[in-house]
Amino acid sequence: MDPLLFIPGPVEISPSVRQAAAEPPLAHGSTTFVELFGELVRRMREIWRAGPEFQPFAFAGSGTLAMETAACNLLDPGQTALVVQTGIFGERMSRILERRGVHVVRVTADAGEAPTIARIAEVLDDEPVHALFATHVDTSTAVRLDVRSLAELARKKDVLFVLDGVCAIGGELCDQAGWGIDVVLAASQKALGGPPGLSLLVASPRALEARRGLRAPPPLAIDLEEWLPVHHALEGGLPSYFATPPTSLVRATVAALREIDIRDAVARQARVGAAMHSAWRALRLASVPAEGDAAHTLSALWIPEQVRTTLPQRLASLGVLVAGPLHPSLKPRSFRVGHMGYVTRRRDLLERCVRILGRVLVDEGHPADVEGAVSALHRELPESEREVDRHRLAARPY
Ligand code: PMP
């Protein structure tokens, strides 16, 4: 049997998403697909909290392509961007921008920490920049940024603001229209609870204006100007073609988004994050980021001294897949546990992860309190499966 996915994406998917993913491919000109795509766009606006003037985009690719798309549609070679780096995905954004010929000013922090808003403001005072880039949750460190304050800062300085929400959207609080974020990019396989393969982003009118003002157009396949009429047509119920869309992934992702009532999902994700951190404390596992900076969607944890660094492999042999360290400074004595998407509605699966991890730690002589960890989980997530189900949006037939 495949192990349970507690890596930070791809994540476990729900039965209705599995069922949708198993359907035969749809023609991209079919009425069913056109309706599904329109629904995808509308649901993205709800989940991103973007108003009707914001434009969602979805095309084949992963989160990295969405990053590339944002960089190449907003900035011309020779312009300057400030990138707030809280892990390797921030550094990836900087490299993407540099390949576009953009001058990058990096604001970094030690692994597991976040630069203060005051420091970012100081750099913005010193450097005339065109755009600010940040990662809501950097999956390599589990650091979550204060996006609301960053957005406020970007508005005050009148610079474009691009947010990598790959490991956040659908779980962490984000209000794109309310906070005034120009692009929030994501991918299908994390807190949104879909299979991997769909690049997603929502652009503000100002972001689309920036694209129209470019001197050097982006590569054709990721040009938002090329995709815009197709998205408009599909949302309006008309077939349209620019490049063949991944119809099966769209169907599965729509099934996943139908299960997200965003207010509920964000509140539940916060409780799951708190519950997992309570469980880690009982297992005597220390978090890499300090509590105030830690994500709700995943945890980065130190491996205790007496426990072998092969901990992720040992867990995999017991049917629970967690992730090893990705950030060079956190190697080899750390690991990461994803707890977003479908598992946030399955306390039994979260409990299985905690129990198996606890058992391995105890076997290695680490003083983990497994029952204490499970009780902590139950305390923070008191409701039964049935109650959780009641809160779920009923999956409609697709
Ligand atoms: N940004 C963040 C925050 C991520 O976690 C990831 C994937 N782990 C990416 C970007 C890149 O996404 P993908 O692997 O889907 O290309």
Side-chain angles (χ1 to χ4, degrees):
M1 225 181 48
D2 290 332
L4 271 176
L5 298 185
F6 278 98
I7 54 173
V11 298
E12 286 295 314
I13 57 175
S14 75
S16 55
V17 178
R18 278 182 197 217
Q19 198 188 333
E23 294 289 330
L26 288 163
H28 54 284
S30 65
T31 309
T32 309
F33 178 73
V34 172
E35 281 172 5
L36 276 172
F37 202 90
E39 185 179 343
L40 174 68
V41 166
R42 285 186 288 276
R43 287 191 183 275
M44 282 175 69
R45 274 199 202 92
E46 271 171 38
I47 292 170
W48 269 243
R49 298 195 189 193
E53 69 283 15
F54 282 68
Q55 182 59 49
F57 292 91
F59 39 83
S62 72
T64 305
L65 191 73
M67 294 165 82
E68 190 100 42
T69 303
C72 296
N73 277 271
L74 260 60
L75 294 175
D76 260 321
Q79 290 189 311
T80 303
L82 187 152
V83 181
V84 180
Q85 294 192 180
T86 43
I88 70 152
F89 292 102
E91 175 58 22
R92 176 174 300 184
M93 195 72 237
S94 293
R95 292 180 61 211
I96 286 172
L97 286 160
E98 282 170 346
R99 291 226 180 158
R100 169 80 178 154
V102 171
H103 172 59
V104 174
V105 179
R106 292 166 167 81
V107 178
T108 58
D110 287 342
E113 293 178 10
T116 62
I117 299 291
R119 211 177 114 219
I120 299 163
E122 251 171 52
V123 181
L124 280 175
D125 282 340
D126 291 348
E127 296 263 355
V129 311
H130 298 95
L132 173 68
F133 287 73
T135 317
H136 197 160
V137 169
D138 198 296
T139 322
S140 65
T141 55
V143 168
R144 179 166 48 94
L145 281 173
D146 174 2
V147 170
R148 187 186 203 141
S149 301
L150 277 173
E152 209 177 291
L153 184 63
R155 271 205 318 277
K156 209 161 76 191
K157 303 281 177 193
D158 196 26
V159 297
L160 290 162
F161 181 30
V162 176
L163 183 68
D164 172 347
V166 172
C167 197
I169 204 88
E172 305 285 1
L173 181 63
C174 182
D175 182 350
Q176 184 170 7
W179 298 348
I181 310 176
D182 291 292
V183 172
V184 179
L185 64 95
S188 46
Q189 78 274 16
K190 297 199 193 239
L192 293 172
L198 213 52
S199 284
L200 304 168
L201 69 83
V202 178
S204 70
R206 193 162 78 140
L208 294 176
E209 208 179 287
R211 158 62 195 96
R212 283 190 289 271
L214 289 181
R215 279 180 291 103
L220 192 79
I222 55 167
D223 186 352
L224 297 181
E225 274 285 284
E226 297 287 340
W227 280 111
L228 192 61
V230 178
H231 282 67
H232 279 161
L234 291 170
E235 192 177 358
L238 297 169
S240 182
Y241 169 79
F242 167 56
T244 308
T247 56
S248 299
L249 275 173
V250 168
R251 169 136 70 183
T253 304
V254 169
L257 301 195
R258 278 178 191 164
E259 292 177 350
I260 299 177
D261 170 335
I262 192 59
R263 274 175 204 284
D264 222 44
V266 166
R268 184 156 180 82
Q269 180 71 74
R271 283 190 297 127
V272 166
M276 296 309 273
H277 277 271
S278 299
W280 306 145
R281 279 192 290 277
L283 295 182
R284 314 274 192 282
L285 289 172
S287 163
V288 171
E291 203 167 319
D293 291 329
H296 298 120
T297 48
L298 88 151
S299 301
L301 302 164
W302 294 109
I303 297 179
E305 273 304 321
Q306 71 272 39
V307 175
R308 278 173 279 169
T309 53
T310 51
L311 183 68
Q313 291 88 317
R314 301 202 51 214
L315 293 174
S317 71
L318 296 170
V320 168
L321 207 63
V322 299
L326 204 53
H327 195 292
S329 318
L330 303 180
K331 286 179 182 171
R333 299 212 67 89
S334 71
F335 69 109
R336 296 167 304 136
V337 182
H339 34 76
M340 59 190 133
Y342 178 54
V343 296
T344 61
R345 306 195 304 267
R346 290 288 304 267
R347 190 181 74 181
D348 57 329
L349 297 182
L350 295 170
E351 181 177 330
R352 198 182 317 170
C353 172
V354 166
R355 276 193 188 282
I356 290 177
L357 173 55
R359 199 194 315 154
V360 172
L361 291 169
V362 169
D363 280 355
E364 297 253 341
H366 180 66
D369 174 4
V370 183
E371 290 313 316
V374 171
S375 306
L377 194 72
H378 285 203
R379 223 176 13 252
E380 305 267 359
L381 300 171
E383 69 270 58
S384 68
E385 303 291 298
R386 197 182 300 267
E387 281 168 327
V388 173
D389 269 355
R390 214 163 38 82
H391 287 110
R392 252 177 65 181
L393 294 182
R396 290 194 276 116
Y398 40 85

